[in-house]
Amino acid sequence: MAAPFTRVYRPLWRIITTTTLNKGVRNVSSTRQQWSAQNVKTAGVASPWALHGAVCLQRLPVVSQDRSPIEDEFMELMHQMELERSLLSDHELRLLEDAARMSRKQEEESDEEEEDYRDKDIFTAQDLEDIWEQKLKQYQPAQRSQGVDEKGVSSSERCLAESLILLVKKDVGSQKLWLLPQIQWQTGETLRQTAERALASLPVGADLKATFLGNAPCGFYKYKYPKDIQKEGSVGAKVFFFKALLSGHKHLPLEKNSFAWVKKDELQDFLKPEYLKQVRRFIMAL
Amino acid sequence: MAGIVCRTASQIISSQASCSSVLAVRHSHWFTSVLSLKTSIPLRAEPKKKKKVDPRREIMMKERLKKKLKRLEKVPPELIPIEDFITPAKCFDETRIRDAPKLSFEESERRALLLKEWSRYKYSQHQTEMDTIEEALEAQRQALDELKLESEELYKAAVSSDMDLFPFQREGPSYTPPITNYEAPEGKYNNITRVYTQ
């Protein structure tokens, strides 16, 4: 089994913790240099931090983003410039020929010997264009944007143009908090397996198929238990986040009050500030 | 066998020859005229023995073929033409040139300014992208440091490479979302790519 580290850090911790705000859940940011200097390996003493594995399940965008005004303008310009610098295509040549032929026909109505109608196609290029137009109209694509908040926060079909993160409402101590799905680490498994278990342990976890991106965590969050819960040997908890991408389409709608699919800018409405600060770092919404 | 028969026959006939006229008596069609020279092809002879010249001739033929093959192999193989690098003849057709429109001064100014604006926009976009990536990497590095402090085994497990991840495939975003239970119409596909062999 793992031989965990021990650290001798007691006096520095007291100094740091007294300066932080007094909330139900205390958040600590430490300096790495101090810890590495005091790294003493002694077997038999368990680490006072409880380990948790959490999963950052992301539903990537299904539909491309809308263009910003400058992108629109630039696209127009590029189309124009490319058209100006191009050569005439076969279809365009045909259009010109047909137009010339029609004008000639109208001018010299009797002179038809030169036209071999039998050899030329029955359709003119303009007719072909109309036929293609008709065929296109027969196909109805699905709607791009679903309108403003047509779907609730708990549906994974909302905001198709952006990536969404799954949040779960959980009891932590006495409060109900919105968190990324997390679960306690058990001895004998790697943290990635803990994260997978966290995903599977959700009530609809079996339905959410996810691809985990690698074995390494993408971020972590550390918090100390409030003083009354702190026992000997457990100071607080460390949560390690793992990134996963949601695979597959069409998921069942989840329970509204306990699940939410949120965009990056909506995260601040759901998460606590310190937690949010750490989580924002590894969520990329470009 | 035939020789022995002929000799006995000649003995019989010579004994009779004194009394009768010399006539070639054929008791059977198998015996040709005894007194004439043996000019027929022996019909039951042994197969012809191979003369020594033949194996030598065959060896010579094989060597000549091998030399020809070597000469052919020495020639370097013809290079396969890259179709993309050869401009098709269509592009040099003069009837296809468009009349270039004349741009007014305002139009050309607008274009130049828009291009500059675009480069500024793209630069800022790139900067934000790079910053986001840097921050995500930093967060991961710190997470791994914390894990190392916690337990060496877990750290090693985290740092080990994931075999199941690659090859990784994912469909990117499209313009419209996919329609549920959509059956695409079947179409024909004529593959006209040219295949070259060396």
Side-chain angles (χ1 to χ4, degrees):
Chain A
M1 256 316 295
F5 285 113
T6 41
R7 287 151 313 227
V8 179
Y9 58 78
R10 263 156 281 281
L12 284 154
W13 270 132
R14 298 293 167 216
I15 296 165
I16 291 166
T17 48
T18 44
T19 53
T20 55
L21 293 162
N22 213 357
K23 278 192 182 170
V25 172
R26 291 221 209 123
N27 314 302
V28 180
S29 58
S30 69
T31 49
R32 209 169 63 84
Q33 291 84 9
Q34 291 163 348
W35 280 22
S36 52
Q38 297 146 17
N39 238 342
V40 179
K41 235 199 252 189
T42 53
V45 186
S47 147
W49 298 93
L51 290 179
H52 294 262
V55 63
C56 169
L57 186 62
Q58 228 179 356
R59 188 222 69 189
L60 293 176
V62 178
V63 159
S64 55
Q65 282 179 338
D66 286 323
R67 280 182 287 269
S68 62
I70 184 170
E71 283 178 354
D72 241 339
E73 263 188 66
F74 189 70
M75 190 187 82
E76 294 285 336
L77 175 64
M78 277 292 112
H79 280 325
Q80 227 178 328
M81 284 173 78
E82 278 173 19
L83 193 66
E84 285 165 14
R85 293 178 189 183
S86 66
L87 296 172
L88 292 168
S89 66
D90 290 339
H91 182 75
E92 286 193 319
L93 279 180
R94 226 178 129 186
L95 275 170
L96 289 174
E97 275 175 21
D98 288 344
R101 214 195 315 152
M102 293 304 275
S103 61
R104 257 189 295 139
K105 247 192 86 185
Q106 278 167 6
E107 281 168 24
E108 309 152 5
E109 292 230 28
S110 54
D111 204 354
E112 277 191 28
E113 301 138 16
E114 295 159 13
E115 313 287 343
D116 336 281
Y117 256 110
R118 289 156 274 147
D119 294 350
K120 293 258 193 296
D121 301 317
I122 308 166
F123 294 116
T124 57
Q126 194 60 48
D127 293 337
L128 280 174
E129 272 191 21
D130 295 331
I131 292 171
W132 296 334
E133 206 47 67
Q134 286 297 313
K135 265 198 185 170
L136 182 63
K137 283 194 185 149
Q138 284 174 5
Y139 172 68
Q140 294 295 332
Q143 279 245 308
R144 230 171 98 84
S145 62
Q146 308 288 336
V148 183
D149 262 342
E150 245 179 46
K151 310 250 172 169
V153 182
S154 59
S155 161
S156 70
E157 309 288 325
R158 69 185 286 253
C159 298
L160 292 173
E162 287 166 34
S163 51
L164 300 176
I165 310 283
L166 178 67
L167 290 184
V168 175
K169 206 165 195 181
K170 224 181 143 181
D171 299 330
V172 173
S174 49
Q175 309 167 13
K176 280 202 170 218
L177 294 176
W178 281 103
L179 301 169
L180 296 179
Q182 73 182 48
I183 210 168
Q184 182 119 14
W185 170 72
Q186 286 165 356
T187 51
E189 61 176 7
T190 63
L191 276 172
R192 178 182 160 155
Q193 284 164 357
T194 320
E196 283 166 358
R197 208 161 45 91
L199 187 58
S201 67
L202 297 172
V204 259
D207 192 27
L208 300 166
K209 291 204 179 62
T211 333
F212 276 79
L213 302 174
N215 290 327
C218 56
F220 81 104
Y221 175 65
K222 221 170 31 199
Y223 63 96
K224 288 187 116 197
Y225 295 139
K227 279 263 168 92
D228 36 338
I229 304 182
Q230 261 186 35
K231 300 170 266 185
E232 286 181 16
S234 76
V235 175
K238 272 192 196 170
V239 190
F240 288 94
F241 300 101
F242 285 81
K243 259 200 185 171
L245 298 178
L246 188 67
S247 47
H249 308 281
K250 271 301 173 184
H251 303 280
L252 303 165
L254 308 168
E255 230 189 282
K256 273 191 191 170
N257 290 324
S258 42
F259 293 93
W261 288 98
V262 285
K263 302 187 274 192
K264 187 169 178 182
D265 16 351
E266 289 172 359
L267 276 176
Q268 61 217 35
D269 302 329
F270 288 81
L271 300 178
K272 294 256 165 183
E274 284 295 329
Y275 189 75
L276 174 69
K277 200 171 110 179
Q278 291 293 329
V279 165
R280 279 177 85 132
R281 296 175 77 194
F282 57 79
I283 294 179
M284 295 198 269
L286 295 163
Chain B
M1 171 63 193
I4 297 163
V5 174
C6 283
R7 252 180 270 136
T8 48
S10 62
Q11 278 170 19
I12 293 163
I13 291 167
S14 58
S15 61
Q16 286 176 359
S18 55
C19 47
S20 60
S21 55
V22 183
L23 271 175
V25 180
R26 288 210 194 184
H27 297 281
S28 157
H29 68 280
W30 286 116
F31 308 132
T32 52
S33 127
V34 199
L35 300 173
S36 64
L37 294 163
K38 284 208 178 35
T39 49
S40 66
I41 306 157
L43 296 169
R44 280 178 283 180
E46 293 166 31
K48 214 196 265 182
K49 280 200 187 135
K50 275 199 185 143
K51 302 176 200 165
K52 281 208 177 165
V53 189
D54 280 345
R56 246 184 279 159
R57 225 189 280 168
E58 284 182 17
I59 290 166
M60 289 280 283
M61 291 266 290
K62 279 183 196 170
E63 273 176 30
R64 257 179 263 152
L65 283 169
K66 275 183 204 168
K67 274 186 195 167
K68 276 185 196 165
L69 275 170
K70 272 188 199 170
R71 251 179 264 158
L72 285 170
E73 272 169 17
K74 269 190 193 170
V75 170
E78 206 180 275
L79 297 170
I80 301 174
I82 304 174
E83 308 239 334
D84 293 335
F85 289 178
I86 308 165
T87 16
K90 272 192 195 175
C91 300
F92 298 116
D93 196 359
E94 278 184 1
T95 53
R96 292 185 181 243
I97 300 177
R98 257 179 236 273
D99 335 311
K102 286 227 167 125
L103 297 171
S104 63
F105 175 71
E106 288 95 15
E107 179 63 23
S108 57
E109 279 291 306
R110 180 193 78 98
R111 284 189 182 185
L113 289 170
L114 185 56
L115 288 168
K116 295 196 180 197
E117 186 69 41
W118 177 252
S119 83
R120 260 175 265 144
Y121 171 75
K122 272 306 203 184
Y123 173 75
S124 60
Q125 207 182 47
H126 182 253
Q127 286 299 101
T128 36
E129 274 178 21
M130 287 293 120
D131 291 337
T132 329
I133 292 171
E134 284 290 333
E135 208 173 315
L137 283 176
E138 180 65 25
Q140 193 180 47
R141 190 186 64 81
Q142 285 181 359
L144 283 172
D145 287 338
E146 287 288 324
L147 189 56
K148 198 169 187 183
L149 292 169
E150 278 294 312
S151 115
E152 194 64 36
E153 247 195 41
L154 287 177
Y155 175 76
K156 276 196 190 140
V159 165
S160 63
S161 37
D162 184 13
M163 289 299 138
D164 305 321
L165 186 58
F166 295 111
F168 178 72
Q169 254 191 355
R170 224 197 86 87
E171 296 273 327
S174 50
Y175 189 67
T176 49
I179 305 173
T180 45
N181 304 327
Y182 179 69
E183 288 180 21
E186 287 190 11
K188 280 191 292 185
Y189 180 62
N190 296 324
N191 198 354
I192 53 167
T193 43
R194 289 200 206 150
V195 179
Y196 295 94
T197 46
Q198 281 199 317

